[in-house]
Amino acid sequence: MPLKSNLNPFIVLLFFTVFSVNSQVFKTANGSLEALSGVQRYQVKFEYAQDLEIPKYESEATFLEIHSQKKEKKEAGSGEAFKNEWFSRRSEQYEPKFIQEFNFFNLKEKQVTVARNISDSEYKMVIYTSLIDPGNSNFFFKKDARLEVVIRIYNANNSDTVIYETQVVDVHSKGASLEDYDRIMSAYAELGRGLSKHLSRKTLN
């Protein structure tokens, strides 16, 4: 005889739900991928909007202030440490992960690579982030992190003219990790893999 469960089916479903990952779509806003035909190496740079959007918050500054105050109440000094870490994680964690995953992708021996501060590439790729949603992961609710980014590619010696620019790309992390920073890093990893695949397929014959 089957056992009866007293758990509300909705609660069970909510507990195990992890929001599905949307496939990245790279639509051209300006320029053309044809101009990048055969390019295998890019100098990469990361930029973040001054008015970076954090969903549900008036501004990034408001988000930082609210969360730093919560942490400060629990432990003196942790609020300011949180603010500093929010920014330092970009160069220490998110950007290296993007580069690692971008360079790891290989499509039947067709491979595009990126690196910082190099002089052996005529092309500069800018990863411009306008939105970061850290997502959430607690006992009842799991939500992946989400980014909104625009990819711009220039001639390294002429940053006035865009060779190729995407429309806003919606990026989701893969798996709602318990740690905010890990979820955001996962989103940058997904972006790295997706963009590398996109350029390998569209620009390398």
Side-chain angles (χ1 to χ4, degrees), residues 60 63-64 68 71 77-94 179-182 184:
E60 182 180 26
F63 163 80
L64 291 172
S68 65
K71 292 181 180 296
S78 62
E80 192 63 30
F82 167 74
K83 288 183 180 180
N84 293 332
E85 191 172 18
W86 173 257
F87 293 105
S88 66
R89 292 275 184 152
R90 295 175 179 179
S91 59
E92 295 174 0
Q93 188 172 359
Y94 311 152
E179 173 62 54
D180 287 357
Y181 298 125
D182 287 344
I184 298 171

Side-chain angles (χ1 to χ4, degrees), residues 2 12-13 19 28 33 43 50-51 60 62 66-67 77 91 99 102 114 125 137 142 165 168 170 183 193:
V12 174
L13 178 62
F19 284 6
T28 302
L33 281 171
Q43 175 184 336
Q50 289 188 343
D51 57 346
E60 182 180 26
T62 301
I66 290 174
H67 283 270
S91 59
I99 294 172
F102 187 105
V114 294
M125 176 189 296
S137 182
K142 297 181 184 295
E165 179 181 13
V168 174
D170 188 42
R183 289 193 299 273
R193 286 190 290 270

Side-chain angles (χ1 to χ4, degrees), residues 183-200:
R183 289 193 299 273
I184 298 171
M185 180 180 69
S186 173
Y188 277 99
E190 291 297 308
L191 176 62
R193 286 190 290 270
L195 182 58
S196 185
K197 182 186 297 184
H198 175 64
L199 293 176
S200 294

Side-chain angles (χ1 to χ4, degrees), residues 38-196:
V39 178
Q40 293 182 286
R41 187 166 174 81
Y42 296 87
Q43 175 184 336
V44 67
K45 180 180 180 182
F46 297 84
E47 295 181 353
Y48 302 84
Q50 289 188 343
D51 57 346
L52 183 77
E53 183 181 351
I54 310 291
K56 298 182 181 180
Y57 294 88
E58 182 179 333
S59 65
E60 182 180 26
T62 301
F63 163 80
L64 291 172
E65 190 60 33
I66 290 174
H67 283 270
S68 65
Q69 287 180 5
K70 289 180 180 179
K71 292 181 180 296
E72 192 68 25
K73 289 180 181 179
K74 295 179 180 179
E75 182 181 353
S78 62
E80 192 63 30
F82 167 74
K83 288 183 180 180
N84 293 332
E85 191 172 18
W86 173 257
F87 293 105
S88 66
R89 292 275 184 152
R90 295 175 179 179
S91 59
E92 295 174 0
Q93 188 172 359
Y94 311 152
E95 296 166 13
K97 190 64 176 179
F98 169 92
I99 294 172
Q100 175 187 328
E101 295 301 320
F102 187 105
N103 291 342
F104 181 77
F105 180 79
N106 186 302
L107 182 64
K108 296 181 180 178
E109 299 183 357
K110 296 178 182 179
Q111 188 173 33
V112 181
T113 62
V114 294
R116 297 178 187 270
N117 304 319
I118 57 174
S119 58
D120 63 343
S121 175
E122 298 179 6
Y123 298 90
K124 178 172 69 175
M125 176 189 296
V126 176
I127 311 299
Y128 180 83
T129 303
S130 58
L131 177 148
I132 297 178
D133 181 351
N136 194 13
S137 182
N138 57 40
F139 187 80
F140 292 108
F141 183 68
K142 297 181 184 295
K143 178 185 176 185
D144 289 337
R146 185 172 72 89
L147 312 173
E148 287 186 0
V149 301
V150 169
I151 314 301
R152 298 187 179 102
I153 297 177
Y154 306 84
N155 184 294
N157 297 318
N158 182 9
S159 297
D160 295 329
T161 303
V162 175
I163 298 174
Y164 172 70
E165 179 181 13
T166 68
Q167 295 180 17
V168 174
V169 182
D170 188 42
V171 186
H172 290 241
S173 63
K174 191 172 184 179
S177 169
L178 293 176
E179 173 62 54
D180 287 357
Y181 298 125
D182 287 344
R183 289 193 299 273
I184 298 171
M185 180 180 69
S186 173
Y188 277 99
E190 291 297 308
L191 176 62
R193 286 190 290 270
L195 182 58
S196 185

